[in-house]
Amino acid sequence: QSYTRDTWGEVMQLYVHPVWQRQGLGSQLLNGATRSMEACEWAIGGLHVWCTKGNAANSVYERNGWVTTGREKEIKPTLSSVIVPVVEYISPNAALELEVLREMREQ
């Protein structure tokens, strides 16, 4: 469940060891987590993730249809004193649903 969006699921951490990167494993992990969370009642609003702004690893979300929302914030990680700027991405299904809602409002 998400800490920042009610009724949404949240990808909290997705890491692939450098030895195994660039082999599609990140996409497989993300797609498995997406399918699993989308089947849960507590994620009826959609799925989202906060990613480190400008991180090349964010491309795994973009390649899999996730889109940025324009929401940004800064966080202080538990094990660090360095403030980290982050951006929000939402899953393809959530993005589609939000687009449908926007179109309905415009009519």
Side-chain angles (χ1 to χ4, degrees), residues 19 23 34 68 76 94:
V19 171
Q23 297 179 44
T34 298
T68 59
K76 182 178 177 283

Side-chain angles (χ1 to χ4, degrees), residues 23-65:
Q23 297 179 44
L25 296 175
S27 290
Q28 290 178 27
L29 289 169
L30 177 61
N31 290 328
T34 298
R35 282 191 305 275
S36 179
M37 285 192 289
E38 284 181 337
C40 296
E41 285 181 22
W42 46 260
I44 195 143
L47 305 178
H48 76 123
V49 63
W50 290 99
C51 297
T52 303
K53 187 174 182 177
N55 190 326
N58 297 351
S59 65
V60 72
Y61 295 99
E62 295 164 3
R63 282 194 311 272
N64 286 281

Side-chain angles (χ1 to χ4, degrees), residues 49-99:
V49 63
W50 290 99
C51 297
T52 303
K53 187 174 182 177
N55 190 326
N58 297 351
S59 65
V60 72
Y61 295 99
E62 295 164 3
R63 282 194 311 272
N64 286 281
W66 290 59
V67 296
T68 59
T69 63
R71 293 176 64 194
E72 298 184 10
K73 64 181 182 178
E74 293 181 336
I75 61 169
K76 182 178 177 283
T78 306
L79 300 175
S80 173
S81 61
V82 178
I83 301 296
V84 178
V86 293
V87 296
E88 183 185 45
Y89 285 80
I90 57 174
S91 66
N93 286 343
L96 179 61
E97 288 178 28
L98 289 177
E99 184 61 31

